[in-house]
């Protein structure tokens, strides 16, 4: 399953709801979240959700913090090779 939430003011609160679902077993494979300002808190929460949910194979989003960008890439690579 894919989730397209491009450019709709998703914001940090929207990411909290999404990550809560991902942490509780939602089986999404691709997340398209570009053009949403999710902030530092949203980036961190999304990384944690991707690390915890092996179903996620692809995330389309520009992360502002390079450390989250690297962390997300590593988590996606692990998920693809499971």
């Amino acid at each position: 399953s894919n989730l397209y939430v491009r450019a709709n003011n998703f914001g940090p609160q929207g990411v909290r709801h999404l990550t809560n679902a991902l942490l509780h077993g939602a089986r999404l494979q691709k997340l398209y979240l570009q053009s949403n300002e999710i902030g530092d808190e949203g980036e961190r929460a999304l990384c944690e959700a991707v690390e915890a949910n092996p179903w996620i194979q692809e995330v389309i989003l520009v992360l502002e913090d390079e450390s989250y960008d690297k962390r997300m890439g590593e988590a996606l690579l692990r998920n693809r090779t499971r």
Side-chain angles (χ1 to χ4, degrees):
S1 298
N2 302 330
L3 177 66
Y4 297 89
V5 190
R6 183 175 189 258
N8 79 350
N9 298 318
F10 203 56
Q13 185 173 3
V15 171
R16 278 194 297 276
H17 291 294
L18 172 61
T19 56
N20 187 43
L22 293 172
L23 290 169
H24 289 92
R27 292 186 176 197
L28 293 172
Q29 291 181 318
K30 296 180 182 179
L31 306 175
Y32 297 89
L33 303 170
Q34 63 269 49
S35 300
N36 285 290
E37 295 184 27
I38 64 171
D40 186 65
E41 178 186 336
E43 289 182 9
R44 182 177 51 253
L46 190 57
C47 282
E48 290 170 0
V50 170
E51 289 170 335
N53 188 320
W55 290 96
I56 302 168
Q57 302 292 307
E58 185 175 348
V59 176
I60 306 298
L61 171 70
V62 175
L63 297 171
E64 299 297 323
D65 188 318
E66 280 187 31
S67 66
Y68 293 132
D69 193 38
K70 182 179 181 203
R71 187 174 162 188
M72 179 76 71
E74 291 170 350
L76 289 169
L77 182 60
R78 276 191 308 273
N79 288 354
R80 289 182 190 137
T81 57
R82 288 184 182 181

